[in-house]
């Protein structure tokens, strides 16, 4: 024992730490000699921040020593992955918890108003010229997918990016995203002067919940055609849970030698990008934009060329993509907030905060639709386009730290204890909160049918969505892809039949012809227009799958299923009349466990009865 005490005393004196520092935690004091110098320093941080309870149940030296070391491994990770370390996390938590207890509104002093942005109408001249500008720029863009969320609201057991975007071809979200980026890369390079070897980088932010399955999905599919070095994964760490208003770190109920942790939110993406060094690498390689997007919006890339064109033309440092929002829809509202002292910013107000903010600032009805049938505040779809230079400049000041919030569920009105532990959270769209007034912050509003079809709600919750509001379910996620493609073809002159109404998993929805195409066939409206012509007709029960690059559809009359594929260097003309029994949608119940989960959550599966397949 004497030698253990000597070894601890020696380490402490080397560290310049007073031997009495651990007297408030006798169980820790007895174990000091098994810890390394770094671990002792972290122990000191914990005691200084009043966390001695973490050691109350520590056993005598010799018992559970490996667990004690593992505890400090975890503390090391929690400390190094948070800007400013654990001491900073605990300090901020105390401040935010005190504000929350006092009922202080984070928007105190601010009045909301409806901001002005760029509103685009699909297919008109201005849309087309923004698309042209966007395609030129996109080879200078890096894409960042935040995919660390578990998708608790959806309740799906796999990772969300592996879900089929639509089940006609079974292409999963990640495949569709990557193939679209590769199509952008090709189209943009063709417009470059001289030789262009641009490779659009893709970063995927994962978490412990999604990391290994994302790696597996990429590796088992040869990165869906991207070069492996084009794709980088950055894993976010969870943050420590808090048990009370004094920010006492919560002991994990499953292991007394661990701190309980929970996700910190998608806002982590900024500090991870900053610390990875990628931003400077991109800057040195001539990249100009960073585009952020989420895991399951099958229509998001329809909006990218035109909105990137808006960013480039309007010289926006920040451009948030938005769609008209239905009151109470679970998407944030883009709002101008003006402070009594004159400060003003355009920022997302999250869906759970918009109604109370409006009620507190002279709008007694809160979050309601106006005469247009929509909320006057555009809905944030969380696709952000940031200009790289100003982004690096800002992160150099902040280290990528994003203003956090805390949302404790109190046991009662005294607000002294929580129902369960809480933690700090942050959102990527809060990035503009720290920007100086000179920053050019704008937003672009697109039509919802074109740009937004997220998969977030499980069938039961989707069926309860107020009538007229979007379901945000696997059912709507797929059906809206067919609707968007049908409407795009209609605008290009194809006679696409009207949809029929059908009910799947309790959700009444329009069923359009199941039309899909590979991104290499078309990523802009100009592409689509150049590849369809004459007098084409597609009936409601039809399925059309276009897989090749140079496929020209002319004078086609389709009533059934047609699948066309062609090598990239071949030109193919599709014309004439195709009629067959086609592919039929059959209802399945979401509770029917005999059906694979991916299908069950949609409420239908496709019975491929008869088709014409041309290769
Ligand atoms: N995500 C992470 O990568 N890490 C995390 O810790 C958490 C999430 P949700 P929600 O679509 O329009 C957002 O849970 O609550 C990823 C915006 O905040 O789907 O629906 C996750 O994998 C809201 O303003 O977010 O709200 C996913 O890709 C609104 O715009 C993404 O973050 C809404 O999305 C979003 O996670 C929207």
């Amino acid at each position: 024992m004497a030698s253990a005490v000597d070894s601890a005393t020696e380490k402490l004196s080397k560290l310049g730490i007073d031997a009495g520092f651990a007297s408030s935690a006798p169980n820790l004091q007895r174990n000091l000699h098994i810890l390394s110098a770094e671990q002792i320093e972290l122990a000191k941080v914990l005691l200084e921040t009043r966390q001695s309870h973490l050691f109350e149940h520590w056993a005598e030296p010799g018992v559970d020593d490996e667990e004690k070391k593992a505890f400090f491994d975890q503390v090391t990770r929690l400390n190094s992955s948070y800007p400013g370390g654990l001491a900073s996390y605990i300090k901020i938590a105390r401040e935010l918890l005190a504000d929350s207890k006092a009922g202080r509104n984070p928007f105190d002093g601010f009045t909301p108003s409806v901001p002005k942005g760029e509103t685009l109408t699909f297919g008109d001249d201005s849309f087309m010229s923004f698309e042209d500008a966007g395609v030129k720029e996109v080879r200078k863009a890096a894409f960042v997918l935040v995919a660390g969320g578990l998708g608790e609201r959806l309740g799906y057991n796999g990772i969300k990016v592996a879900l089929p975007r639509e089940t006609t071809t079974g292409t999963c979200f990640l495949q569709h995203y990557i193939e679209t980026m590769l199509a952008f890369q090709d189209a943009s390079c063709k417009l470059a002067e001289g030789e262009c070897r641009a490779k659009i980088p893709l970063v995927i932010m994962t978490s412990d919940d999604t990391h290994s399955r994302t790696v597996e999905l990429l590796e088992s599919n040869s990165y869906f055609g991207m070069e492996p070095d084009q794709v980088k994964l950055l894993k976010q760490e969870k943050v420590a849970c808090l048990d009370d208003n004094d920010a006492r770190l919560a002991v994990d109920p499953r292991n007394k030698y661990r701190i309980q942790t929970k996700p910190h939110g998608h806002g982590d993406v900024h500090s991870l990008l900053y610390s990875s060094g990628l931003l400077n690498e991109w800057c040195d390689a001539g990249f100009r934009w960073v585009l952020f997007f989420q895991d399951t919006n099958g229509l998001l890339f329809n909006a990218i060329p035109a909105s990137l064109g808006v960013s480039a033309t309007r010289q926006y440092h920040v451009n948030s993509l938005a769609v008209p929002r239905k009151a109470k829809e679970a998407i944030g509202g883009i709002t101008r907030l003006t402070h009594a002292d004159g400060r003003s910013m355009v920022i997302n107000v999250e869906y759970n905060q918009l109604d109370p903010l409006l009620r507190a600032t002279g709008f007694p009805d809160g979050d309601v639709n106006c005469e247009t049938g929509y909320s006057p505040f555009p809905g944030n779809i969380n696709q952000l386009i940031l200009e790289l230079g100003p982004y690096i400049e800002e992160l150099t000041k902040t280290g990528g730290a994003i203003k956090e919030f805390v949302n404790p569920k109190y046991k009662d009105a005294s607000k002294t204890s929580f129902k369960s532990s809480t933690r700090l959270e942050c959102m990527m769209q809060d990035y503009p909160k720290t920007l100086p007034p000179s920053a050019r912050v704008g937003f672009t509003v697109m039509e919802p049918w074109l740009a937004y079809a997220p998969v977030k709600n499980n069938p039961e919750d989707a069926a309860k969505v107020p009538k007229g509001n979007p379901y945000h379910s696997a059912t709507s996620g797929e059906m809206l892809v067919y609707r968007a493609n049908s409407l795009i073809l209609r605008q290009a002159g194809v006679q696409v039949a009207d949809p029929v109404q059908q009910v799947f998993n309790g959700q009444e929805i329009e069923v359009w012809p199941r039309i899909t195409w590979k991104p290499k066939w078309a990523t802009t409206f100009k592409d689509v227009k150049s590849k369809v012509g004459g007098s084409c007709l597609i009936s409601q029960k039809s399925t059309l799958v276009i897989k090749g690059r140079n496929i020209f559809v002319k004078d086609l009359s389709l009533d059934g299923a047609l699948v066309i594929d062609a090598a990239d260097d071949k030109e193919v003309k599709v014309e004439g009349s195709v009629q067959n029994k086609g592919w039929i949608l059959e209802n399945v119940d979401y509770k029917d466990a005999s059906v694979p989960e991916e299908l069950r959550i949609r409420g239908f599966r496709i019975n491929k009865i008869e088709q014409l397949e041309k290769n």
Side-chain angles (χ1 to χ4, degrees), residues 44 58 80 89 166 251 292 294 318 343 505 512 540:
K44 186 161 177 273
W58 270 37
S80 63
Y89 180 78
E166 35 77 17
V251 175
F292 295 85
Q294 305 196 140
V318 178
R343 275 178 296 147
N505 282 346
W512 290 77
Q540 187 279 331

Side-chain angles (χ1 to χ4, degrees), residues 146 148-149 153 236 265-266 294-295 350-351 380 429 452 456:
V146 287
R153 273 156 60 196
Q236 64 177 144
H266 37 69
Q294 305 196 140
D295 49 18
E350 197 59 339
Y351 44 90
N380 164 48
Q429 66 270 33
Y452 192 52
K456 300 201 188 224

Side-chain angles (χ1 to χ4, degrees), residues 145-153 160 205-207 210 236 263-268 293-296 330-333 348-351 379-382 426-429 452 454-456 472:
L145 164 61
V146 287
L150 250 183
E152 275 164 281
R153 273 156 60 196
K160 287 175 80 184
M205 180 172 81
T206 56
S207 66
T210 62
Q236 64 177 144
H264 190 218
H266 37 69
D268 276 347
F293 63 106
Q294 305 196 140
D295 49 18
T296 53
I331 64 177
N348 171 71
V349 175
E350 197 59 339
Y351 44 90
N380 164 48
I381 61 170
N382 241 15
C426 62
M427 301 190 293
M428 71 172 168
Q429 66 270 33
Y452 192 52
V455 178
K456 300 201 188 224
H472 296 178

